[in-house]
Amino acid sequence: MFQFNRIKRLPPYVFSIVNNLKHEARRKGDDIIDLGMGNPDLPAPEHVVGKLCEAANNPKNHRYSASKGITQLRVALSEWYKRRFDVDIDPETEAVATIGSKEGLSHLVLAIVEPGDVTLTPTPAYPIHPYSVIIAGGEVRSIPIGEGINFFDEMEKAYKNTWPRPKLLIINFPHNPTTECVDPDFFQKVVDFAKENKLIVIHDFAYADLTFDDYKAPSFLQAKGAKDVGVEFFSMTKSYSMAGWRVGFCAGNREIVGALTKIKSYLDYGMFQPIQIASIVAFRGPQDCVKEMKNIYEKRRNTLISGLKNAGWDIRHPRATMFVWAKIPEPFREMGSLEFAKTVLKRAKVAVSPGIGFGEGGDEYVRFALVENEHRIRQAVRGIRQLLKTS
């Protein structure tokens, strides 16, 4: 009866299939270990929660807030960039707070992409990266990413083989789902290429702090001239385990930040102000909590990978993110990631994300999210070991 062409361009959400099976199994009483969605299980820092409660008890904070984020929150973000990366950010013109980075990125794309504009994104990818472009009426040209692939070379090739020339590049390092990492030289090459070809760059820096084995993730904005061509999104979700709080930021080029600020002024009144006040305390307070969370994820990574290796499933150790991107064992690979994920759920009682849900190039993989404690991860390994024995 009704035609919604924009919605028609969005495919069925693959992850919902596994989620529905998981919920059905739990209703039957099965103990499902959920390593599917990257939903942090660790609590937000105690001092941040305390500040939230204190601020929420002040009726003045119950009113509409600032769409772009209150001034001190943007100042605190600028301080974070200076402290961590020696990058200068003007809190008035080069930073805007968003209701999570997912909201910010999708609304920014809506502001700057016009029907027919082409955007380059990696594949496989976090779904909002390509589909924000689809929602905005643009076109997507995918760049393969993964182990053994030179992403920059593939990006150059994709750009040169695309007409009309791409307007936008969306990248995400450390990368979800493949966990691929880059060094500062990579971002410099991206900036130089973007300048030469008048390309806008959006970098999603969600996993800035979840790095392991002495790896330190560089910021895109550290590259010389980065603010001339693009912006970076950061989120409190992973670093401070504040997923449900929905606190994100966009920083960098003032024209691009200005476009996001303007469209947001029509769309929202900003986050609940006590959340913003508590986020300032997160930035400016003790940072031991960030290191503790990182160490917990690293231990979980080691427990999962060593356990699966002993079970006969050898997986590369990721240097960052809260995920493990695992190539499906050879005897099961032909069934594809969705059927394999269903099999793992039914027979091992473990939920994982099928790689096909992240796009082309993902169907030989599943993604484990490190969102259960080590005891539960060992329990998951035991279930998977029994499954692998049947191959």
Side-chain angles (χ1 to χ4, degrees), residues 118-131:
V118 180
T119 294
L120 300 174
T121 68
T123 187
Y126 182 50
I128 197 60
H129 293 163
Y131 287 108

Side-chain angles (χ1 to χ4, degrees), residues 336-358:
S337 61
L338 181 56
E339 289 306 313
F340 180 68
K342 289 180 184 179
T343 301
V344 173
L345 181 68
K346 291 174 182 176
R347 293 170 56 186
K349 308 302 180 187
V350 179
V352 297
S353 293
I356 190 63
F358 300 98

Side-chain angles (χ1 to χ4, degrees), residues 114-178:
E114 299 173 23
D117 284 345
V118 180
T119 294
L120 300 174
T121 68
T123 187
Y126 182 50
I128 197 60
H129 293 163
Y131 287 108
S132 63
V133 178
I134 299 300
I135 291 168
E139 304 295 331
V140 175
R141 176 76 158 83
S142 298
I143 311 166
I145 187 171
E147 188 176 8
I149 296 173
N150 187 315
F151 180 80
F152 187 83
D153 286 353
E154 293 293 335
M155 182 195 76
E156 282 189 305
K157 192 187 306 180
Y159 181 88
K160 290 172 182 174
N161 291 336
T162 301
W163 191 264
R165 294 294 191 217
K167 175 180 184 177
L168 175 65
L169 168 68
I170 300 176
I171 50 178
N172 159 222
F173 293 102
H175 184 254
N176 176 18
T178 69

